[in-house]
Amino acid sequence: MTDSRIATARLGATGPEVGVQGLGCMGMSFAYGPSDANESRATLERALELGVTLYDTADAYGAGENEKFLSPFFKAHRDEVVIATKFALAIPPDDPTRRVIRNDAPYIRQAVEASLRRLDVDVIDLYYMHRRDVTVPIEETVAVMADLVREGKVKYLGLSEVTGGELRAAQAVHPIAAVQSEWSLFSRDIEANVVPTARDLGVALVPYSPLGRGFLTGSFAKAEDLTTDDFRRQQPRFTGENAKANVILLDPIRKVAEAHGSTPGQIALAWVQQQAAVHDLPVIPIPGTRKPTRVEENAGATRIVLGEEDMKLLEPIAAQVAGDRYADMRFASAGRE
C-alpha cells in the first residue's frame, strides 16, 4: 500500500471539502467489544496521514465517552479535521442502558452544549440529527438546528436515517449538507427514495456500516463468533439461519477480490465509493476501524475501480440478504418510507 493521500470531495453543495472516505469512530469506545486506546489513537493519526479528514462520532456512543476520547486528537489537529457528531438518542436517568429518541428544542440545546464541552471545541463542523422522533415535525427540529448555525455553535447540518420526504421538508428550512444512512452491498434500501432525493437537492450521502458491520470482510460468520458485549449479536442478519444464508453471499465478493488482488473488504468499500459515479452525487463512506492496518486497507479501496462484469456479479447480493438490518426497523428510514 502506498502512502499517497486519498482524493477529496465536497460534502454536498453546502458542505466542506473532505477526503472521499471518512472514519467511523464509534467502535473505539462502544458497541464492538473491547478496544485498545493506544491502537485507536494510532488509527486516528494514520487515517489523517492518508487524507481521511471526516471523523464521525455521536453523544450516544458510550454515553459521551467517545466524544471525550476523540477530543485530544481533534485539539491537536483542529484545522485539519472535520468533526461530525450527533444528537437525538437520550439516556433516561433511571436506566442508562436505554436510549430514547428526542428531537425537541430543549433537548437539542442541552445536547449541543454537552457535546461542545466533551469535544472541547468552540464549534461542531457537522451536526446530525441521529434518529427521527416522528412526534416532532422535522421542520421544527431543523429550525432549532439552523439557530445553532446562526449562533456559531455548528457550521453544517446533517440528518441520519431520514426518508426522502423528510429530507425535502428539512431542506426547505435550512440547507442540509449530508444524510447518513446504512448503505452497502447488503443494505441498499435507500436507493429507492433517499439517494435520488439527495442527488436532486445537492446533499451528500455518508454511508455508515459500508462493510456490513464487518460481515462483508469475512472477519466473523455468525453472532456467536463475537464477544458477549458486542451489539451485533442482537442484529437479525448475523443470527441463526440468517447468518448461514448470508455467509454464502460473500462468495462473489471474494471472487471479485481475487481478480483485483485485493481483500473482500476493499471490494465492498470500492462498490460503495463507486456509487458516487453511479448515482451522480457525493458519497463519503465512514468505515469504522480501530487498527492502523485496517485504515490503510480501507483507504486503498478508494483506488480500486470495479468493471462492468464486477458490478454485475455484485448486483444481486442485496436482494438475497436474509434478515433486516435492525430488529426494529421503525428507527431506520426504510421502516417509514
PDB file of all heavy atoms in Angstrom, residues 192-218:
ATOM      1  N   ALA A 192     -33.968   3.637  -3.260  1.00  0.00           N
ATOM      2  CA  ALA A 192     -35.307   3.841  -3.822  1.00  0.00           C
ATOM      3  C   ALA A 192     -35.733   5.306  -3.760  1.00  0.00           C
ATOM      4  O   ALA A 192     -36.229   5.850  -4.750  1.00  0.00           O
ATOM      5  CB  ALA A 192     -36.322   2.963  -3.082  1.00  0.00           C
ATOM      6  N   ASN A 193     -35.533   5.964  -2.603  1.00  0.00           N
ATOM      7  CA  ASN A 193     -36.026   7.334  -2.449  1.00  0.00           C
ATOM      8  C   ASN A 193     -34.998   8.317  -1.899  1.00  0.00           C
ATOM      9  O   ASN A 193     -34.916   9.449  -2.362  1.00  0.00           O
ATOM     10  CB  ASN A 193     -37.250   7.339  -1.516  1.00  0.00           C
ATOM     11  CG  ASN A 193     -38.443   6.633  -2.123  1.00  0.00           C
ATOM     12  OD1 ASN A 193     -38.872   6.981  -3.214  1.00  0.00           O
ATOM     13  ND2 ASN A 193     -38.985   5.650  -1.427  1.00  0.00           N
ATOM     14  N   VAL A 194     -34.219   7.881  -0.933  1.00  0.00           N
ATOM     15  CA  VAL A 194     -33.304   8.815  -0.268  1.00  0.00           C
ATOM     16  C   VAL A 194     -32.198   9.286  -1.206  1.00  0.00           C
ATOM     17  O   VAL A 194     -31.912  10.483  -1.294  1.00  0.00           O
ATOM     18  CB  VAL A 194     -32.690   8.179   0.997  1.00  0.00           C
ATOM     19  CG1 VAL A 194     -31.729   9.144   1.674  1.00  0.00           C
ATOM     20  CG2 VAL A 194     -33.788   7.751   1.965  1.00  0.00           C
ATOM     21  N   VAL A 195     -31.592   8.360  -1.926  1.00  0.00           N
ATOM     22  CA  VAL A 195     -30.470   8.719  -2.803  1.00  0.00           C
ATOM     23  C   VAL A 195     -30.908   9.672  -3.921  1.00  0.00           C
ATOM     24  O   VAL A 195     -30.268  10.716  -4.138  1.00  0.00           O
ATOM     25  CB  VAL A 195     -29.783   7.456  -3.361  1.00  0.00           C
ATOM     26  CG1 VAL A 195     -28.768   7.822  -4.441  1.00  0.00           C
ATOM     27  CG2 VAL A 195     -29.099   6.687  -2.233  1.00  0.00           C
ATOM     28  N   PRO A 196     -31.984   9.363  -4.662  1.00  0.00           N
ATOM     29  CA  PRO A 196     -32.388  10.318  -5.706  1.00  0.00           C
ATOM     30  C   PRO A 196     -32.792  11.678  -5.157  1.00  0.00           C
ATOM     31  O   PRO A 196     -32.545  12.712  -5.790  1.00  0.00           O
ATOM     32  CB  PRO A 196     -33.557   9.626  -6.413  1.00  0.00           C
ATOM     33  CG  PRO A 196     -33.960   8.487  -5.552  1.00  0.00           C
ATOM     34  CD  PRO A 196     -32.776   8.127  -4.727  1.00  0.00           C
ATOM     35  N   THR A 197     -33.393  11.705  -3.966  1.00  0.00           N
ATOM     36  CA  THR A 197     -33.756  12.985  -3.356  1.00  0.00           C
ATOM     37  C   THR A 197     -32.508  13.779  -3.000  1.00  0.00           C
ATOM     38  O   THR A 197     -32.425  14.988  -3.259  1.00  0.00           O
ATOM     39  CB  THR A 197     -34.614  12.759  -2.103  1.00  0.00           C
ATOM     40  OG1 THR A 197     -35.790  12.030  -2.447  1.00  0.00           O
ATOM     41  CG2 THR A 197     -35.016  14.082  -1.470  1.00  0.00           C
ATOM     42  N   ALA A 198     -31.528  13.104  -2.410  1.00  0.00           N
ATOM     43  CA  ALA A 198     -30.272  13.770  -2.063  1.00  0.00           C
ATOM     44  C   ALA A 198     -29.591  14.324  -3.311  1.00  0.00           C
ATOM     45  O   ALA A 198     -29.078  15.454  -3.306  1.00  0.00           O
ATOM     46  CB  ALA A 198     -29.349  12.795  -1.330  1.00  0.00           C
ATOM     47  N   ARG A 199     -29.591  13.534  -4.387  1.00  0.00           N
ATOM     48  CA  ARG A 199     -28.986  13.998  -5.641  1.00  0.00           C
ATOM     49  C   ARG A 199     -29.692  15.266  -6.135  1.00  0.00           C
ATOM     50  O   ARG A 199     -29.043  16.245  -6.517  1.00  0.00           O
ATOM     51  CB  ARG A 199     -29.072  12.905  -6.700  1.00  0.00           C
ATOM     52  CG  ARG A 199     -28.457  13.323  -8.044  1.00  0.00           C
ATOM     53  CD  ARG A 199     -28.682  12.259  -9.100  1.00  0.00           C
ATOM     54  NE  ARG A 199     -30.102  12.036  -9.312  1.00  0.00           N
ATOM     55  CZ  ARG A 199     -30.705  10.837  -9.253  1.00  0.00           C
ATOM     56  NH1 ARG A 199     -30.013   9.746  -8.979  1.00  0.00           N
ATOM     57  NH2 ARG A 199     -31.998  10.727  -9.464  1.00  0.00           N
ATOM     58  N   ASP A 200     -31.013  15.253  -6.116  1.00  0.00           N
ATOM     59  CA  ASP A 200     -31.775  16.407  -6.600  1.00  0.00           C
ATOM     60  C   ASP A 200     -31.512  17.659  -5.778  1.00  0.00           C
ATOM     61  O   ASP A 200     -31.530  18.778  -6.305  1.00  0.00           O
ATOM     62  CB  ASP A 200     -33.273  16.095  -6.572  1.00  0.00           C
ATOM     63  CG  ASP A 200     -33.685  15.034  -7.582  1.00  0.00           C
ATOM     64  OD1 ASP A 200     -32.867  14.708  -8.472  1.00  0.00           O
ATOM     65  OD2 ASP A 200     -34.823  14.531  -7.477  1.00  0.00           O
ATOM     66  N   LEU A 201     -31.270  17.482  -4.485  1.00  0.00           N
ATOM     67  CA  LEU A 201     -31.113  18.620  -3.576  1.00  0.00           C
ATOM     68  C   LEU A 201     -29.660  19.031  -3.356  1.00  0.00           C
ATOM     69  O   LEU A 201     -29.401  20.011  -2.660  1.00  0.00           O
ATOM     70  CB  LEU A 201     -31.749  18.281  -2.223  1.00  0.00           C
ATOM     71  CG  LEU A 201     -33.257  17.990  -2.226  1.00  0.00           C
ATOM     72  CD1 LEU A 201     -33.722  17.598  -0.824  1.00  0.00           C
ATOM     73  CD2 LEU A 201     -34.046  19.191  -2.736  1.00  0.00           C
ATOM     74  N   GLY A 202     -28.709  18.283  -3.928  1.00  0.00           N
ATOM     75  CA  GLY A 202     -27.304  18.614  -3.735  1.00  0.00           C
ATOM     76  C   GLY A 202     -26.791  18.248  -2.360  1.00  0.00           C
ATOM     77  O   GLY A 202     -25.938  18.936  -1.786  1.00  0.00           O
ATOM     78  N   VAL A 203     -27.304  17.141  -1.812  1.00  0.00           N
ATOM     79  CA  VAL A 203     -26.914  16.664  -0.481  1.00  0.00           C
ATOM     80  C   VAL A 203     -26.002  15.446  -0.624  1.00  0.00           C
ATOM     81  O   VAL A 203     -26.254  14.566  -1.450  1.00  0.00           O
ATOM     82  CB  VAL A 203     -28.163  16.286   0.348  1.00  0.00           C
ATOM     83  CG1 VAL A 203     -27.768  15.723   1.706  1.00  0.00           C
ATOM     84  CG2 VAL A 203     -29.073  17.503   0.509  1.00  0.00           C
ATOM     85  N   ALA A 204     -24.950  15.380   0.162  1.00  0.00           N
ATOM     86  CA  ALA A 204     -24.039  14.237   0.119  1.00  0.00           C
ATOM     87  C   ALA A 204     -24.615  13.064   0.904  1.00  0.00           C
ATOM     88  O   ALA A 204     -25.372  13.242   1.857  1.00  0.00           O
ATOM     89  CB  ALA A 204     -22.682  14.617   0.696  1.00  0.00           C
ATOM     90  N   LEU A 205     -24.234  11.852   0.497  1.00  0.00           N
ATOM     91  CA  LEU A 205     -24.570  10.646   1.244  1.00  0.00           C
ATOM     92  C   LEU A 205     -23.333  10.207   2.020  1.00  0.00           C
ATOM     93  O   LEU A 205     -22.241  10.116   1.451  1.00  0.00           O
ATOM     94  CB  LEU A 205     -25.014   9.529   0.295  1.00  0.00           C
ATOM     95  CG  LEU A 205     -26.498   9.156   0.343  1.00  0.00           C
ATOM     96  CD1 LEU A 205     -26.890   8.586   1.692  1.00  0.00           C
ATOM     97  CD2 LEU A 205     -27.383  10.342  -0.026  1.00  0.00           C
ATOM     98  N   VAL A 206     -23.515   9.932   3.300  1.00  0.00           N
ATOM     99  CA  VAL A 206     -22.436   9.445   4.148  1.00  0.00           C
ATOM    100  C   VAL A 206     -22.838   8.048   4.637  1.00  0.00           C
ATOM    101  O   VAL A 206     -23.518   7.913   5.658  1.00  0.00           O
ATOM    102  CB  VAL A 206     -22.173  10.402   5.330  1.00  0.00           C
ATOM    103  CG1 VAL A 206     -21.084   9.844   6.243  1.00  0.00           C
ATOM    104  CG2 VAL A 206     -21.780  11.785   4.814  1.00  0.00           C
ATOM    105  N   PRO A 207     -22.460   7.008   3.910  1.00  0.00           N
ATOM    106  CA  PRO A 207     -22.854   5.654   4.298  1.00  0.00           C
ATOM    107  C   PRO A 207     -22.122   5.176   5.558  1.00  0.00           C
ATOM    108  O   PRO A 207     -20.894   5.182   5.604  1.00  0.00           O
ATOM    109  CB  PRO A 207     -22.449   4.796   3.097  1.00  0.00           C
ATOM    110  CG  PRO A 207     -22.308   5.761   1.960  1.00  0.00           C
ATOM    111  CD  PRO A 207     -21.791   7.013   2.597  1.00  0.00           C
ATOM    112  N   TYR A 208     -22.898   4.787   6.565  1.00  0.00           N
ATOM    113  CA  TYR A 208     -22.279   4.107   7.706  1.00  0.00           C
ATOM    114  C   TYR A 208     -22.410   2.605   7.500  1.00  0.00           C
ATOM    115  O   TYR A 208     -23.215   2.138   6.692  1.00  0.00           O
ATOM    116  CB  TYR A 208     -22.877   4.570   9.033  1.00  0.00           C
ATOM    117  CG  TYR A 208     -24.291   4.127   9.341  1.00  0.00           C
ATOM    118  CD1 TYR A 208     -24.556   2.868   9.860  1.00  0.00           C
ATOM    119  CD2 TYR A 208     -25.365   4.999   9.156  1.00  0.00           C
ATOM    120  CE1 TYR A 208     -25.852   2.470  10.175  1.00  0.00           C
ATOM    121  CE2 TYR A 208     -26.667   4.611   9.455  1.00  0.00           C
ATOM    122  CZ  TYR A 208     -26.900   3.338   9.968  1.00  0.00           C
ATOM    123  OH  TYR A 208     -28.187   2.949  10.273  1.00  0.00           O
ATOM    124  N   SER A 209     -21.597   1.853   8.190  1.00  0.00           N
ATOM    125  CA  SER A 209     -21.534   0.389   8.040  1.00  0.00           C
ATOM    126  C   SER A 209     -21.403  -0.043   6.579  1.00  0.00           C
ATOM    127  O   SER A 209     -22.097  -0.949   6.121  1.00  0.00           O
ATOM    128  CB  SER A 209     -22.768  -0.269   8.668  1.00  0.00           C
ATOM    129  OG  SER A 209     -22.839  -0.010  10.040  1.00  0.00           O
ATOM    130  N   PRO A 210     -20.498   0.597   5.812  1.00  0.00           N
ATOM    131  CA  PRO A 210     -20.331   0.195   4.407  1.00  0.00           C
ATOM    132  C   PRO A 210     -19.725  -1.200   4.265  1.00  0.00           C
ATOM    133  O   PRO A 210     -19.765  -1.782   3.185  1.00  0.00           O
ATOM    134  CB  PRO A 210     -19.387   1.265   3.843  1.00  0.00           C
ATOM    135  CG  PRO A 210     -18.585   1.705   5.032  1.00  0.00           C
ATOM    136  CD  PRO A 210     -19.551   1.677   6.181  1.00  0.00           C
ATOM    137  N   LEU A 211     -19.192  -1.731   5.362  1.00  0.00           N
ATOM    138  CA  LEU A 211     -18.652  -3.092   5.369  1.00  0.00           C
ATOM    139  C   LEU A 211     -19.618  -4.076   6.041  1.00  0.00           C
ATOM    140  O   LEU A 211     -19.221  -5.152   6.470  1.00  0.00           O
ATOM    141  CB  LEU A 211     -17.298  -3.121   6.085  1.00  0.00           C
ATOM    142  CG  LEU A 211     -16.186  -2.338   5.379  1.00  0.00           C
ATOM    143  CD1 LEU A 211     -14.960  -2.212   6.266  1.00  0.00           C
ATOM    144  CD2 LEU A 211     -15.817  -3.007   4.061  1.00  0.00           C
ATOM    145  N   GLY A 212     -20.899  -3.684   6.093  1.00  0.00           N
ATOM    146  CA  GLY A 212     -21.885  -4.568   6.698  1.00  0.00           C
ATOM    147  C   GLY A 212     -21.554  -4.914   8.129  1.00  0.00           C
ATOM    148  O   GLY A 212     -21.716  -6.041   8.559  1.00  0.00           O
ATOM    149  N   ARG A 213     -21.068  -3.909   8.884  1.00  0.00           N
ATOM    150  CA  ARG A 213     -20.637  -4.082  10.278  1.00  0.00           C
ATOM    151  C   ARG A 213     -19.551  -5.151  10.400  1.00  0.00           C
ATOM    152  O   ARG A 213     -19.477  -5.875  11.386  1.00  0.00           O
ATOM    153  CB  ARG A 213     -21.842  -4.390  11.181  1.00  0.00           C
ATOM    154  CG  ARG A 213     -22.903  -3.308  11.122  1.00  0.00           C
ATOM    155  CD  ARG A 213     -23.931  -3.440  12.215  1.00  0.00           C
ATOM    156  NE  ARG A 213     -24.982  -2.448  12.069  1.00  0.00           N
ATOM    157  CZ  ARG A 213     -24.945  -1.193  12.515  1.00  0.00           C
ATOM    158  NH1 ARG A 213     -23.858  -0.765  13.130  1.00  0.00           N
ATOM    159  NH2 ARG A 213     -25.948  -0.367  12.346  1.00  0.00           N
ATOM    160  N   GLY A 214     -18.717  -5.229   9.378  1.00  0.00           N
ATOM    161  CA  GLY A 214     -17.590  -6.154   9.386  1.00  0.00           C
ATOM    162  C   GLY A 214     -17.881  -7.494   8.746  1.00  0.00           C
ATOM    163  O   GLY A 214     -16.959  -8.238   8.396  1.00  0.00           O
ATOM    164  N   PHE A 215     -19.151  -7.808   8.528  1.00  0.00           N
ATOM    165  CA  PHE A 215     -19.517  -9.112   7.976  1.00  0.00           C
ATOM    166  C   PHE A 215     -18.974  -9.296   6.565  1.00  0.00           C
ATOM    167  O   PHE A 215     -18.547 -10.391   6.184  1.00  0.00           O
ATOM    168  CB  PHE A 215     -21.046  -9.241   7.969  1.00  0.00           C
ATOM    169  CG  PHE A 215     -21.554 -10.627   7.702  1.00  0.00           C
ATOM    170  CD1 PHE A 215     -21.618 -11.573   8.714  1.00  0.00           C
ATOM    171  CD2 PHE A 215     -21.984 -11.006   6.435  1.00  0.00           C
ATOM    172  CE1 PHE A 215     -22.096 -12.859   8.481  1.00  0.00           C
ATOM    173  CE2 PHE A 215     -22.459 -12.276   6.186  1.00  0.00           C
ATOM    174  CZ  PHE A 215     -22.505 -13.208   7.215  1.00  0.00           C
ATOM    175  N   LEU A 216     -18.955  -8.212   5.778  1.00  0.00           N
ATOM    176  CA  LEU A 216     -18.508  -8.302   4.387  1.00  0.00           C
ATOM    177  C   LEU A 216     -16.998  -8.521   4.274  1.00  0.00           C
ATOM    178  O   LEU A 216     -16.508  -8.879   3.205  1.00  0.00           O
ATOM    179  CB  LEU A 216     -18.911  -7.042   3.621  1.00  0.00           C
ATOM    180  CG  LEU A 216     -20.427  -6.818   3.481  1.00  0.00           C
ATOM    181  CD1 LEU A 216     -20.728  -5.466   2.865  1.00  0.00           C
ATOM    182  CD2 LEU A 216     -21.060  -7.921   2.641  1.00  0.00           C
ATOM    183  N   THR A 217     -16.279  -8.308   5.352  1.00  0.00           N
ATOM    184  CA  THR A 217     -14.833  -8.562   5.318  1.00  0.00           C
ATOM    185  C   THR A 217     -14.516 -10.027   5.587  1.00  0.00           C
ATOM    186  O   THR A 217     -13.381 -10.460   5.406  1.00  0.00           O
ATOM    187  CB  THR A 217     -14.098  -7.719   6.386  1.00  0.00           C
ATOM    188  OG1 THR A 217     -14.439  -8.213   7.691  1.00  0.00           O
ATOM    189  CG2 THR A 217     -14.468  -6.248   6.275  1.00  0.00           C
ATOM    190  N   GLY A 218     -15.518 -10.770   6.082  1.00  0.00           N
ATOM    191  CA  GLY A 218     -15.286 -12.154   6.458  1.00  0.00           C
ATOM    192  C   GLY A 218     -14.668 -12.310   7.829  1.00  0.00           C
ATOM    193  O   GLY A 218     -14.235 -13.400   8.201  1.00  0.00           O
TER     194      GLY A 218
END
